[in-house]
mmCIF file with all atom_site columns, all heavy atoms in Angstrom:
data_model
loop_
_atom_site.group_PDB
_atom_site.id
_atom_site.type_symbol
_atom_site.label_atom_id
_atom_site.label_alt_id
_atom_site.label_comp_id
_atom_site.label_asym_id
_atom_site.label_entity_id
_atom_site.label_seq_id
_atom_site.pdbx_PDB_ins_code
_atom_site.Cartn_x
_atom_site.Cartn_y
_atom_site.Cartn_z
_atom_site.occupancy
_atom_site.B_iso_or_equiv
_atom_site.pdbx_formal_charge
_atom_site.auth_seq_id
_atom_site.auth_comp_id
_atom_site.auth_asym_id
_atom_site.auth_atom_id
_atom_site.pdbx_PDB_model_num
ATOM 1   N N   . MET J 1 71 ? 74.297 109.090 133.613 1.00 98.00 ? 71 MET J N   1
ATOM 2   C CA  . MET J 1 71 ? 74.230 108.034 134.620 1.00 98.00 ? 71 MET J CA  1
ATOM 3   C C   . MET J 1 71 ? 74.008 108.580 136.024 1.00 98.00 ? 71 MET J C   1
ATOM 4   O O   . MET J 1 71 ? 73.356 107.937 136.854 1.00 98.00 ? 71 MET J O   1
ATOM 5   C CB  . MET J 1 71 ? 75.501 107.182 134.568 1.00 98.00 ? 71 MET J CB  1
ATOM 6   C CG  . MET J 1 71 ? 75.598 106.295 133.323 1.00 98.00 ? 71 MET J CG  1
ATOM 7   S SD  . MET J 1 71 ? 77.271 105.655 133.030 1.00 98.00 ? 71 MET J SD  1
ATOM 8   C CE  . MET J 1 71 ? 77.546 104.688 134.510 1.00 98.00 ? 71 MET J CE  1
ATOM 9   N N   . GLN J 1 72 ? 74.530 109.761 136.294 1.00 98.00 ? 72 GLN J N   1
ATOM 10  C CA  . GLN J 1 72 ? 74.360 110.362 137.620 1.00 98.00 ? 72 GLN J CA  1
ATOM 11  C C   . GLN J 1 72 ? 72.895 110.649 137.930 1.00 98.00 ? 72 GLN J C   1
ATOM 12  O O   . GLN J 1 72 ? 72.501 110.725 139.093 1.00 98.00 ? 72 GLN J O   1
ATOM 13  C CB  . GLN J 1 72 ? 75.179 111.655 137.708 1.00 98.00 ? 72 GLN J CB  1
ATOM 14  C CG  . GLN J 1 72 ? 76.675 111.430 137.681 1.00 98.00 ? 72 GLN J CG  1
ATOM 15  C CD  . GLN J 1 72 ? 77.466 112.732 137.596 1.00 98.00 ? 72 GLN J CD  1
ATOM 16  O OE1 . GLN J 1 72 ? 76.890 113.828 137.599 1.00 98.00 ? 72 GLN J OE1 1
ATOM 17  N NE2 . GLN J 1 72 ? 78.783 112.627 137.523 1.00 98.00 ? 72 GLN J NE2 1
ATOM 18  N N   . LYS J 1 73 ? 72.082 110.789 136.880 1.00 98.00 ? 73 LYS J N   1
ATOM 19  C CA  . LYS J 1 73 ? 70.658 111.122 137.045 1.00 98.00 ? 73 LYS J CA  1
ATOM 20  C C   . LYS J 1 73 ? 69.759 109.960 136.631 1.00 98.00 ? 73 LYS J C   1
ATOM 21  O O   . LYS J 1 73 ? 68.573 110.155 136.386 1.00 98.00 ? 73 LYS J O   1
ATOM 22  C CB  . LYS J 1 73 ? 70.328 112.365 136.200 1.00 98.00 ? 73 LYS J CB  1
ATOM 23  C CG  . LYS J 1 73 ? 71.153 113.589 136.543 1.00 98.00 ? 73 LYS J CG  1
ATOM 24  C CD  . LYS J 1 73 ? 70.846 114.760 135.616 1.00 98.00 ? 73 LYS J CD  1
ATOM 25  C CE  . LYS J 1 73 ? 71.434 114.568 134.233 1.00 98.00 ? 73 LYS J CE  1
ATOM 26  N NZ  . LYS J 1 73 ? 71.215 115.745 133.352 1.00 98.00 ? 73 LYS J NZ  1
ATOM 27  N N   . SER J 1 74 ? 70.321 108.761 136.569 1.00 98.00 ? 74 SER J N   1
ATOM 28  C CA  . SER J 1 74 ? 69.611 107.628 135.978 1.00 98.00 ? 74 SER J CA  1
ATOM 29  C C   . SER J 1 74 ? 69.583 106.421 136.899 1.00 98.00 ? 74 SER J C   1
ATOM 30  O O   . SER J 1 74 ? 70.244 106.382 137.943 1.00 98.00 ? 74 SER J O   1
ATOM 31  C CB  . SER J 1 74 ? 70.280 107.230 134.656 1.00 98.00 ? 74 SER J CB  1
ATOM 32  O OG  . SER J 1 74 ? 70.294 108.289 133.746 1.00 98.00 ? 74 SER J OG  1
ATOM 33  N N   . LEU J 1 75 ? 68.828 105.422 136.458 1.00 98.00 ? 75 LEU J N   1
ATOM 34  C CA  . LEU J 1 75 ? 68.918 104.081 137.011 1.00 98.00 ? 75 LEU J CA  1
ATOM 35  C C   . LEU J 1 75 ? 69.919 103.313 136.163 1.00 98.00 ? 75 LEU J C   1
ATOM 36  O O   . LEU J 1 75 ? 69.759 103.210 134.946 1.00 98.00 ? 75 LEU J O   1
ATOM 37  C CB  . LEU J 1 75 ? 67.553 103.393 136.966 1.00 98.00 ? 75 LEU J CB  1
ATOM 38  C CG  . LEU J 1 75 ? 67.536 101.890 137.277 1.00 98.00 ? 75 LEU J CG  1
ATOM 39  C CD1 . LEU J 1 75 ? 67.991 101.631 138.702 1.00 98.00 ? 75 LEU J CD1 1
ATOM 40  C CD2 . LEU J 1 75 ? 66.151 101.299 137.035 1.00 98.00 ? 75 LEU J CD2 1
ATOM 41  N N   . VAL J 1 76 ? 70.969 102.801 136.796 1.00 98.00 ? 76 VAL J N   1
ATOM 42  C CA  . VAL J 1 76 ? 72.064 102.146 136.070 1.00 98.00 ? 76 VAL J CA  1
ATOM 43  C C   . VAL J 1 76 ? 72.227 100.722 136.582 1.00 98.00 ? 76 VAL J C   1
ATOM 44  O O   . VAL J 1 76 ? 72.235 100.480 137.796 1.00 98.00 ? 76 VAL J O   1
ATOM 45  C CB  . VAL J 1 76 ? 73.380 102.923 136.248 1.00 98.00 ? 76 VAL J CB  1
ATOM 46  C CG1 . VAL J 1 76 ? 74.522 102.226 135.510 1.00 98.00 ? 76 VAL J CG1 1
ATOM 47  C CG2 . VAL J 1 76 ? 73.226 104.361 135.762 1.00 98.00 ? 76 VAL J CG2 1
ATOM 48  N N   . ALA J 1 77 ? 72.352 99.773  135.660 1.00 98.00 ? 77 ALA J N   1
ATOM 49  C CA  . ALA J 1 77 ? 72.582 98.387  136.054 1.00 98.00 ? 77 ALA J CA  1
ATOM 50  C C   . ALA J 1 77 ? 74.072 98.137  136.263 1.00 98.00 ? 77 ALA J C   1
ATOM 51  O O   . ALA J 1 77 ? 74.915 98.668  135.531 1.00 98.00 ? 77 ALA J O   1
ATOM 52  C CB  . ALA J 1 77 ? 72.054 97.441  134.985 1.00 98.00 ? 77 ALA J CB  1
ATOM 53  N N   . LYS J 1 78 ? 74.373 97.335  137.260 1.00 98.00 ? 78 LYS J N   1
ATOM 54  C CA  . LYS J 1 78 ? 75.764 96.926  137.450 1.00 98.00 ? 78 LYS J CA  1
ATOM 55  C C   . LYS J 1 78 ? 76.270 96.185  136.219 1.00 98.00 ? 78 LYS J C   1
ATOM 56  O O   . LYS J 1 78 ? 77.451 96.264  135.883 1.00 98.00 ? 78 LYS J O   1
ATOM 57  C CB  . LYS J 1 78 ? 75.887 96.046  138.694 1.00 98.00 ? 78 LYS J CB  1
ATOM 58  C CG  . LYS J 1 78 ? 75.638 96.803  139.993 1.00 98.00 ? 78 LYS J CG  1
ATOM 59  C CD  . LYS J 1 78 ? 75.800 95.893  141.200 1.00 98.00 ? 78 LYS J CD  1
ATOM 60  C CE  . LYS J 1 78 ? 75.564 96.653  142.491 1.00 98.00 ? 78 LYS J CE  1
ATOM 61  N NZ  . LYS J 1 78 ? 75.682 95.767  143.683 1.00 98.00 ? 78 LYS J NZ  1
ATOM 62  N N   . ALA J 1 79 ? 75.375 95.500  135.558 1.00 98.00 ? 79 ALA J N   1
ATOM 63  C CA  . ALA J 1 79 ? 75.665 94.868  134.267 1.00 98.00 ? 79 ALA J CA  1
ATOM 64  C C   . ALA J 1 79 ? 74.349 94.430  133.660 1.00 98.00 ? 79 ALA J C   1
ATOM 65  O O   . ALA J 1 79 ? 73.419 94.035  134.371 1.00 98.00 ? 79 ALA J O   1
ATOM 66  C CB  . ALA J 1 79 ? 76.604 93.680  134.412 1.00 98.00 ? 79 ALA J CB  1
ATOM 67  N N   . LEU J 1 80 ? 74.272 94.509  132.335 1.00 98.00 ? 80 LEU J N   1
ATOM 68  C CA  . LEU J 1 80 ? 73.173 93.898  131.595 1.00 98.00 ? 80 LEU J CA  1
ATOM 69  C C   . LEU J 1 80 ? 73.722 92.607  131.003 1.00 98.00 ? 80 LEU J C   1
ATOM 70  O O   . LEU J 1 80 ? 74.719 92.625  130.276 1.00 98.00 ? 80 LEU J O   1
ATOM 71  C CB  . LEU J 1 80 ? 72.672 94.830  130.493 1.00 98.00 ? 80 LEU J CB  1
ATOM 72  C CG  . LEU J 1 80 ? 71.488 94.307  129.676 1.00 98.00 ? 80 LEU J CG  1
ATOM 73  C CD1 . LEU J 1 80 ? 70.269 94.080  130.561 1.00 98.00 ? 80 LEU J CD1 1
ATOM 74  C CD2 . LEU J 1 80 ? 71.150 95.272  128.537 1.00 98.00 ? 80 LEU J CD2 1
ATOM 75  N N   . LEU J 1 81 ? 73.080 91.495  131.314 1.00 98.00 ? 81 LEU J N   1
ATOM 76  C CA  . LEU J 1 81 ? 73.617 90.188  130.951 1.00 98.00 ? 81 LEU J CA  1
ATOM 77  C C   . LEU J 1 81 ? 73.027 89.699  129.634 1.00 98.00 ? 81 LEU J C   1
ATOM 78  O O   . LEU J 1 81 ? 71.805 89.585  129.506 1.00 98.00 ? 81 LEU J O   1
ATOM 79  C CB  . LEU J 1 81 ? 73.305 89.180  132.061 1.00 98.00 ? 81 LEU J CB  1
ATOM 80  C CG  . LEU J 1 81 ? 73.782 89.576  133.462 1.00 98.00 ? 81 LEU J CG  1
ATOM 81  C CD1 . LEU J 1 81 ? 73.341 88.526  134.473 1.00 98.00 ? 81 LEU J CD1 1
ATOM 82  C CD2 . LEU J 1 81 ? 75.289 89.779  133.501 1.00 98.00 ? 81 LEU J CD2 1
ATOM 83  N N   . PRO J 1 82 ? 73.873 89.417  128.649 1.00 98.00 ? 82 PRO J N   1
ATOM 84  C CA  . PRO J 1 82 ? 73.383 88.876  127.376 1.00 98.00 ? 82 PRO J CA  1
ATOM 85  C C   . PRO J 1 82 ? 72.851 87.467  127.554 1.00 98.00 ? 82 PRO J C   1
ATOM 86  O O   . PRO J 1 82 ? 73.282 86.728  128.437 1.00 98.00 ? 82 PRO J O   1
ATOM 87  C CB  . PRO J 1 82 ? 74.630 88.878  126.477 1.00 98.00 ? 82 PRO J CB  1
ATOM 88  C CG  . PRO J 1 82 ? 75.662 89.687  127.197 1.00 98.00 ? 82 PRO J CG  1
ATOM 89  C CD  . PRO J 1 82 ? 75.333 89.600  128.648 1.00 98.00 ? 82 PRO J CD  1
ATOM 90  N N   . ILE J 1 83 ? 71.933 87.086  126.672 1.00 98.00 ? 83 ILE J N   1
ATOM 91  C CA  . ILE J 1 83 ? 71.478 85.697  126.636 1.00 98.00 ? 83 ILE J CA  1
ATOM 92  C C   . ILE J 1 83 ? 72.377 84.921  125.660 1.00 98.00 ? 83 ILE J C   1
ATOM 93  O O   . ILE J 1 83 ? 73.158 85.505  124.905 1.00 98.00 ? 83 ILE J O   1
ATOM 94  C CB  . ILE J 1 83 ? 69.986 85.609  126.234 1.00 98.00 ? 83 ILE J CB  1
ATOM 95  C CG1 . ILE J 1 83 ? 69.676 86.435  124.982 1.00 98.00 ? 83 ILE J CG1 1
ATOM 96  C CG2 . ILE J 1 83 ? 69.118 86.083  127.379 1.00 98.00 ? 83 ILE J CG2 1
ATOM 97  C CD1 . ILE J 1 83 ? 69.983 85.811  123.697 1.00 98.00 ? 83 ILE J CD1 1
ATOM 98  N N   . TYR J 1 84 ? 72.279 83.618  125.706 1.00 98.00 ? 84 TYR J N   1
ATOM 99  C CA  . TYR J 1 84 ? 73.085 82.764  124.824 1.00 98.00 ? 84 TYR J CA  1
ATOM 100 C C   . TYR J 1 84 ? 72.377 82.578  123.488 1.00 98.00 ? 84 TYR J C   1
ATOM 101 O O   . TYR J 1 84 ? 71.177 82.334  123.449 1.00 98.00 ? 84 TYR J O   1
ATOM 102 C CB  . TYR J 1 84 ? 73.313 81.405  125.480 1.00 98.00 ? 84 TYR J CB  1
ATOM 103 C CG  . TYR J 1 84 ? 74.110 80.453  124.622 1.00 98.00 ? 84 TYR J CG  1
ATOM 104 C CD1 . TYR J 1 84 ? 75.508 80.478  124.661 1.00 98.00 ? 84 TYR J CD1 1
ATOM 105 C CD2 . TYR J 1 84 ? 73.491 79.555  123.760 1.00 98.00 ? 84 TYR J CD2 1
ATOM 106 C CE1 . TYR J 1 84 ? 76.244 79.613  123.860 1.00 98.00 ? 84 TYR J CE1 1
ATOM 107 C CE2 . TYR J 1 84 ? 74.226 78.702  122.957 1.00 98.00 ? 84 TYR J CE2 1
ATOM 108 C CZ  . TYR J 1 84 ? 75.605 78.736  123.010 1.00 98.00 ? 84 TYR J CZ  1
ATOM 109 O OH  . TYR J 1 84 ? 76.341 77.897  122.221 1.00 98.00 ? 84 TYR J OH  1
ATOM 110 N N   . PRO J 1 85 ? 73.151 82.641  122.393 1.00 98.00 ? 85 PRO J N   1
ATOM 111 C CA  . PRO J 1 85 ? 74.545 83.059  122.298 1.00 98.00 ? 85 PRO J CA  1
ATOM 112 C C   . PRO J 1 85 ? 74.641 84.584  122.314 1.00 98.00 ? 85 PRO J C   1
ATOM 113 O O   . PRO J 1 85 ? 73.692 85.272  121.936 1.00 98.00 ? 85 PRO J O   1
ATOM 114 C CB  . PRO J 1 85 ? 74.989 82.490  120.943 1.00 98.00 ? 85 PRO J CB  1
ATOM 115 C CG  . PRO J 1 85 ? 73.742 82.550  120.113 1.00 98.00 ? 85 PRO J CG  1
ATOM 116 C CD  . PRO J 1 85 ? 72.605 82.261  121.058 1.00 98.00 ? 85 PRO J CD  1
ATOM 117 N N   . SER J 1 86 ? 75.764 85.117  122.715 1.00 98.00 ? 86 SER J N   1
ATOM 118 C CA  . SER J 1 86 ? 75.907 86.571  122.841 1.00 98.00 ? 86 SER J CA  1
ATOM 119 C C   . SER J 1 86 ? 76.149 87.206  121.470 1.00 98.00 ? 86 SER J C   1
ATOM 120 O O   . SER J 1 86 ? 77.121 87.925  121.248 1.00 98.00 ? 86 SER J O   1
ATOM 121 C CB  . SER J 1 86 ? 77.046 86.914  123.804 1.00 98.00 ? 86 SER J CB  1
ATOM 122 O OG  . SER J 1 86 ? 78.259 86.281  123.425 1.00 98.00 ? 86 SER J OG  1
ATOM 123 N N   . LYS J 1 87 ? 75.210 86.940  120.572 1.00 98.00 ? 87 LYS J N   1
ATOM 124 C CA  . LYS J 1 87 ? 75.226 87.480  119.215 1.00 98.00 ? 87 LYS J CA  1
ATOM 125 C C   . LYS J 1 87 ? 74.222 88.618  119.098 1.00 98.00 ? 87 LYS J C   1
ATOM 126 O O   . LYS J 1 87 ? 73.282 88.741  119.887 1.00 98.00 ? 87 LYS J O   1
ATOM 127 C CB  . LYS J 1 87 ? 74.889 86.389  118.195 1.00 98.00 ? 87 LYS J CB  1
ATOM 128 C CG  . LYS J 1 87 ? 75.981 85.345  117.997 1.00 98.00 ? 87 LYS J CG  1
ATOM 129 C CD  . LYS J 1 87 ? 77.172 85.931  117.253 1.00 98.00 ? 87 LYS J CD  1
ATOM 130 C CE  . LYS J 1 87 ? 78.179 84.853  116.872 1.00 98.00 ? 87 LYS J CE  1
ATOM 131 N NZ  . LYS J 1 87 ? 79.364 85.426  116.198 1.00 98.00 ? 87 LYS J NZ  1
ATOM 132 N N   . THR J 1 88 ? 74.370 89.424  118.049 1.00 98.00 ? 88 THR J N   1
ATOM 133 C CA  . THR J 1 88 ? 73.578 90.641  117.901 1.00 98.00 ? 88 THR J CA  1
ATOM 134 C C   . THR J 1 88 ? 72.088 90.372  117.737 1.00 98.00 ? 88 THR J C   1
ATOM 135 O O   . THR J 1 88 ? 71.266 90.930  118.467 1.00 98.00 ? 88 THR J O   1
ATOM 136 C CB  . THR J 1 88 ? 74.099 91.450  116.702 1.00 98.00 ? 88 THR J CB  1
ATOM 137 O OG1 . THR J 1 88 ? 75.428 91.891  116.978 1.00 98.00 ? 88 THR J OG1 1
ATOM 138 C CG2 . THR J 1 88 ? 73.216 92.664  116.435 1.00 98.00 ? 88 THR J CG2 1
#
Side-chain angles (χ1 to χ4, degrees):
M71 289 164 62
Q72 292 173 2
K73 302 176 286 184
S74 301
L75 169 63
V76 179
K78 292 181 179 178
L80 182 62
L81 305 177
I83 49 82
Y84 179 86
S86 54
K87 289 289 188 182
T88 295

